[in-house]
Amino acid sequence: MSDAADAGRATETEAGTDGRDASAEYPLRVEDLHKSFGGITAVEGASFRIEAGSLTGLIGPNGAGKSTTFNLVTGVHKPDSGAVCFGDEEITGLEPHEVANKGLVRTFQIARQLDEMTVLENLMLAPRSQVGEVLWRSVLPGARRGVLAQESTVRDRAWEMLDFFEIDHLAEEFAGNLSGGQRKLLEMARALMTDPDMVLLDEPLAGVNPSLEKKLLEHVHELRADGYTFLLVEHDMDVIMNNCEHIIVMHQGRVLAEGTADEIRSNERVIDAYLGENV
Ligand code: ADP
Ligand code: MG
């Protein structure tokens, strides 16, 4: 178990004693992020890093700053101070499409305008809205980033996603007709259209029935085994404890503790601040 202070120290010496490059081992590194909205401080000195290929959980009480942190990392909001690094680059303050172009995406709720488009159309539009019109990542496996992908390639990738998430039978259905759970699958499929390296999931299971929840989690594990890195915010503690090998606990805008499920469960500060009310 490392507490917040330890996590801060670890970040300072992130090259590590074994000489391995921190940017490869920890692709996402967040340092001392601050963000206020008017008089409300949402994030107040959050620091953490995410291990490559991990499924890391981010938990904390309502208002702890989890969603704001996601928004700061993916360029939806600009931090007041602090740094976000992804791979070997600093990405602080970049626009969402620029961040996506680096291979870091988050899921978004499907906007109402997209309800009148089919599932397939939703997927085919996703890369464009994520990484911009001109320079977007090729969805060809192994191709260089920034290659202008052909419509046929995007269509192929869309069908790959439909197939993977087992919603190919819904390809011609309007997004507005999907169930809550199917919508969540489409949201995740949309995020994956550009074949990112890392995906941030903010409550992807909200309103999803148990069998679809199981399926969604299986998909996440399968993708993780394929090399994707995931950061997951989820209010269902059992889901986090049973699926994430590493857990970060946020409280009042900063990291309160980090560790494995067992370490988090027995951490006095986490119990006092958070788990006490949940168990
Ligand atoms: P969490 O996702 O952990 O529940 P949030 O990051 O959504 O927490 O919110 C942290 C705090 O910041 C809350 O007090 C919330 O009301 C406030 N907040 C978040 N986004 C905004 C915003 N766009 N404008 C004003 N206040 C916000
Ligand atoms: Mg939230």
Side-chain angles (χ1 to χ4, degrees), residues 178-230:
L178 299 184
S179 71
Q182 291 167 338
R183 235 176 142 80
K184 291 289 179 188
L185 288 172
L186 179 56
E187 283 168 19
M188 209 183 292
R190 275 177 63 90
L192 284 158
M193 272 298 290
T194 51
D195 196 15
D197 299 308
M198 180 166 176
V199 186
L200 276 54
L201 305 170
D202 196 354
E203 307 204 357
L205 305 174
V208 174
N209 73 49
S211 74
L212 209 48
E213 172 176 312
K214 190 162 164 278
K215 204 168 257 187
L216 242 153
L217 286 166
E218 280 168 11
H219 289 314
V220 170
H221 282 291
E222 216 174 309
L223 289 161
R224 204 262 298 253
D226 253 11
Y228 292 88
T229 304
F230 284 96

Side-chain angles (χ1 to χ4, degrees), residues 55-59 230-233 240 244-249:
L55 168 49
T56 300
L58 179 61
I59 59 172
F230 284 96
L231 181 59
L232 168 67
V233 168
I240 292 284
C244 300
E245 71 266 24
H246 190 77
I247 299 166
I248 299 170
V249 185

Side-chain angles (χ1 to χ4, degrees), residues 40-153:
I40 298 165
T41 303
V43 174
E44 193 172 15
S47 297
F48 58 84
R49 52 189 198 169
I50 305 296
E51 192 173 351
S54 70
L55 168 49
T56 300
L58 179 61
I59 59 172
N62 261 338
K66 306 179 297 292
S67 294
T68 304
T69 299
F70 269 28
N71 287 332
L72 294 173
V73 165
T74 51
V76 176
H77 294 313
K78 312 290 168 218
D80 300 330
S81 63
V84 181
C85 296
F86 188 65
D88 53 10
E89 291 173 279
E90 181 166 352
I91 59 165
T92 320
L94 293 188
E95 295 298 325
H97 71 269
E98 295 171 315
V99 175
N101 203 29
K102 307 278 182 201
L104 175 59
V105 299
R106 56 161 299 172
T107 51
F108 282 102
Q109 289 194 350
I110 296 157
R112 205 171 302 153
Q113 306 92 281
L114 295 175
D115 278 354
E116 284 157 39
M117 291 190 194
T118 68
V119 167
L120 180 63
E121 286 165 345
N122 261 277
L123 286 173
M124 291 191 62
L125 276 172
R128 210 152 285 198
S129 57
Q130 267 169 35
V131 300
E133 284 287 334
V134 184
L135 192 72
W136 43 300
R137 299 184 71 180
S138 168
V139 291
L140 280 173
R144 305 297 307 163
R145 287 182 197 185
V147 173
L148 193 70
Q150 302 296 317
E151 173 164 328
S152 60
T153 315

